[in-house]
């Protein structure tokens, strides 16, 4: 029996709107130092203070300048007047019967505080020896992959780098990954004294490569050695196939790549993943072959959702193996996760096994991903929020009221 615990969490540190103050989360060190110089600090001191702030924010999880004991009291007060270290508001937190946790986070728009706040979902998947945070990059999605719940929500807006990192920082806080915090008692985290969040996947709501600059900035900050310090090998960015941004992702961000493949013929992929009409299979696979840093130790993951009677035949499996032959690849078969009114059903388990056998025999190990968090709509492709895109008129009216 699946058991659902629904936790409202009103006590969470809520700083929705920066109220004219500058948000520090999501700024790189040079930007923070620049802002300090603009407020009268000398270059050298600004650089030193920026490093201290960075350490407080990303290593210690501080949100309050008063706690920053290595900064003189007068300066702490001045910083609090001009800057803010925000966290998203937690609208809800749910825990699945399998320990998967899903948050609904709310963000105000710091640049346009009269606009209504937006909401996104973030998922935490604990395993024995690792914990993976599935992070959103956009509110909704411009793309309309036919099997994906997020695709039924129009794009409202891109998340900022600070909002992308805000999901990570809030989750680390809730899971006790900052010094002095306890582990949660209402759900599992990996055993041992490793971190609760050891891996990040950009596989939540949205297409990360349609929000490239913010995603790049957030991931470079998340992997910075003197901050959150997650290895780039433990960060995976998943794309539906925005070909022009694949090479820059490898060269400038350097994280692991996952491709939402889902079909091995252009006619079918055009239907399932419509971006294929713009960048068809051959171009996509060519970009994968030349992904900077790809090799047998750093393989590209190809995700393939198992849709009954649509893409799950033996012939599809053989074609999949053939297509990926010259690419250092891992294959991830994802049983289709249903959502309200979804137009597909998941392939039967014997069909998935037969498909997986063909893939296995070609040398790919354990390719079937166990669905996690289905009972709370936290599994792949089940994320969505109520936030709606405003009409231009409503948006203009909201902006004018400010
Ligand atoms: N927009 C990016 C990131 C989302 S990742 C992308 O498409 O790659 C989420 C993964 O879950 C993608 O591989 C997506 O194709 C897959 N997915 C979407 N809907 C699904 C569903 N209903 N069941 C299983 N997987 C799904
Ligand atoms: Fe957007 Fe990815 Fe869903 Fe496609 S699968 S609609 S790209 S979130």
């Amino acid at each position: 029996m699946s058991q659902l615990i629904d936790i409202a969490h009103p006590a969470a540190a809520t700083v929705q709107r920066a109220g004219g103050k500058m948000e520090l989360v999501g700024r790189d060190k040079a930007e923070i130092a620049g802002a300090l110089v603009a407020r009268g600090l000398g270059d050298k001191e600004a650089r030193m203070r920026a490093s201290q702030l960075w350490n407080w924010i990303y290593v210690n999880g501080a949100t309050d300048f008063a706690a920053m004991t290595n900064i003189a009291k007068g300066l702490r007060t001045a910083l609090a007047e001009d800057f803010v270290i925000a966290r998203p508001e937690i609208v809800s937190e749910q825990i699945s019967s399998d320990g998967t946790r899903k948050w609904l986070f709310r963000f105000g728009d710091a640049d346009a505080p009269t606009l209504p706040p937006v909401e996104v979902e973030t998922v935490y998947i604990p395993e024995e020896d690792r914990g993976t945070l599935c992070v959103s990059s956009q509110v909704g999605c411009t793309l309309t992959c036919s099997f994906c719940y997020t695709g039924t929500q129009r794009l409202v807006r891109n998340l900022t780098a600070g909002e992308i990192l805000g999901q990570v920082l809030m989750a680390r806080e809730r899971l006790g990954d900052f010094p002095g915090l306890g582990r949660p008692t209402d759900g599992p985290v990996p055993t041992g004294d490793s971190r609760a969040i050891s891996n990040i996947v950009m596989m939540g709501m949205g297409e990360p490569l349609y929000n490239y600059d913010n995603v790049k900035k957030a991931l470079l900050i998340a992997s910075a050695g003197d901050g959150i310090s997650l290895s780039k090998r433990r960060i995976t960015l998943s794309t539906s196939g925005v070909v022009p941004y694949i090479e820059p992702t490898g060269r400038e961000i350097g994280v692991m790549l996952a491709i939402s493949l889902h079909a091995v013929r252009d006619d079918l992929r055009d239907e399932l993943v419509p971006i294929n009409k713009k960048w068809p299979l051959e171009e996509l696979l060519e970009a994968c072959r030349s992904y900077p840093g790809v090799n047998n130790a750093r393989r590209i993951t190809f995700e393939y959702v198992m849709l009954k009677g649509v893409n799950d035949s033996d012939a599809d499996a053989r074609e999949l193996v053939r297509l990926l032959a010259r690419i250092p690849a891992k294959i991830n078969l994802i049983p289709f996760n249903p959502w309200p009114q979804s137009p597909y059903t998941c392939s039967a388990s014997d069909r998935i096994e037969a498909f997986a056998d063909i893939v296995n025999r070609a040398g790919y190990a354990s390719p079937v991903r166990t669905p996690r968090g289905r009972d709370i709509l936290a599994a792949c492709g089940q994320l969505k929020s109520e936030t709606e895109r405003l009409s231009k008129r409503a948006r203009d009216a909201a902006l004018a009221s400010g």
Side-chain angles (χ1 to χ4, degrees):
M1 267 285 286
S2 77
Q3 184 207 1
L4 189 72
I5 311 165
D6 207 334
I7 306 167
H9 190 69
T14 303
V15 186
Q16 272 190 54
R17 285 178 186 157
K21 298 182 184 183
M22 181 175 148
E23 161 70 279
L24 291 181
V25 177
R27 312 243 174 212
D28 56 36
K29 242 189 252 174
E31 278 177 287
I32 298 177
L36 294 174
V37 169
R39 280 158 182 79
L41 265 63
D43 279 350
K44 198 161 161 232
E45 181 178 4
R47 275 203 303 276
M48 180 194 62
R49 298 298 179 201
S51 291
Q52 288 175 321
L53 284 165
W54 186 270
N55 183 274
W56 281 111
I57 296 170
Y58 296 109
V59 178
N60 291 299
T63 52
D64 186 357
F65 294 97
M68 303 182 179
T69 42
N70 55 356
I71 299 179
K73 214 166 178 187
L75 182 55
R76 278 186 253 161
T77 312
L79 288 172
E81 279 165 15
D82 286 347
F83 300 101
V84 66
I85 301 163
R87 289 280 189 273
E89 179 182 353
I90 302 181
V91 180
S92 67
E93 177 174 326
Q94 290 174 288
I95 304 175
S96 153
S97 57
D98 68 19
T100 300
R101 213 176 263 259
K102 181 172 85 167
W103 292 279
L104 180 63
F105 288 140
R106 178 180 293 160
F107 298 97
D109 191 323
D111 296 327
T114 51
L115 288 181
V118 296
E119 294 175 350
V120 296
E121 296 192 311
T122 307
V123 174
Y124 175 64
I125 306 133
E127 291 170 84
E128 194 59 27
D129 57 344
R130 62 155 85 180
T132 304
L133 192 72
C134 179
V135 173
S136 290
S137 57
Q138 297 183 310
V139 186
C141 191
T142 47
L143 302 173
T144 52
C145 303
S146 53
F147 49 87
C148 173
Y149 200 25
T150 311
T152 66
Q153 180 180 10
R154 286 181 71 191
L155 179 76
V156 178
R157 68 167 172 84
N158 281 334
L159 293 179
T160 63
E163 290 164 340
I164 295 167
L165 283 164
Q167 299 168 65
V168 178
L169 295 177
M170 192 74 234
R172 293 193 82 200
E173 189 173 312
R174 293 290 298 146
L175 298 168
D177 260 352
F178 287 122
L181 300 180
R183 294 290 188 211
T185 51
D186 53 2
V189 294
T191 49
D193 33 58
S194 56
R195 311 164 168 218
I197 299 171
S198 59
N199 294 64
I200 288 181
V201 292
M202 294 305 298
M203 296 191 185
M205 293 163 57
E207 167 50 60
L209 295 191
Y210 274 156
N211 186 13
Y212 181 78
D213 291 343
N214 289 318
V215 166
K216 171 181 159 186
K217 202 165 178 198
L219 294 183
L220 290 178
I221 292 176
S223 57
D226 55 358
I228 300 174
S229 188
L230 266 179
S231 153
K232 290 181 179 182
R233 304 190 56 146
R234 290 177 173 271
I235 301 179
T236 302
L237 183 149
S238 174
T239 179
S240 57
V242 184
V243 167
Y245 281 101
I246 290 181
E247 188 272 339
T249 298
R251 182 168 42 84
E252 299 182 339
I253 317 181
V255 293
M256 306 298 283
L257 183 68
I259 301 285
S260 293
L261 193 67
H262 307 314
V264 291
R265 301 189 321 267
D266 278 321
D267 60 336
L268 181 60
R269 196 163 188 272
D270 283 352
E271 211 179 283
L272 300 181
V273 188
I275 200 178
N276 193 68
K277 291 183 206 151
K278 212 168 192 167
W279 293 293
L281 280 168
E282 188 40 51
E283 285 179 40
L284 175 60
L285 296 176
E286 185 47 43
C288 291
R289 264 175 228 121
S290 45
Y291 186 64
V294 70
N295 59 43
N296 283 335
R298 290 168 57 93
R299 292 168 187 265
I300 296 174
T301 301
F302 288 87
E303 298 158 289
Y304 194 94
V305 63
M306 299 299 295
L307 303 171
K308 186 176 194 164
V310 175
N311 65 354
D312 61 353
S313 71
D314 286 355
D316 287 315
R318 284 192 292 269
E319 180 62 8
L320 176 61
V321 165
R322 194 191 68 80
L323 274 185
L324 302 185
R326 288 174 40 234
I327 304 173
K330 285 189 263 192
I331 296 177
N332 226 317
L333 302 178
I334 316 176
F336 170 68
N337 296 307
W339 36 271
Q341 271 116 44
S342 50
Y344 300 100
T345 43
C346 182
S347 311
S349 51
D350 56 346
R351 181 84 306 265
I352 298 181
E353 268 168 46
F355 195 104
D357 264 357
I358 295 174
V359 172
N360 269 322
R361 268 185 267 124
Y364 299 94
S366 41
V368 185
R369 186 189 290 177
T370 312
R372 295 286 304 263
R374 268 185 177 174
D375 54 349
I376 56 167
L377 285 180
C380 298
Q382 293 184 315
L383 305 186
K384 181 172 178 171
S385 73
E386 301 285 320
T387 311
E388 287 181 11
R389 189 188 180 100
L390 291 182
S391 66
K392 185 169 180 319
R393 184 193 285 181
R395 198 184 148 82
D396 289 347
L399 288 171
S401 75

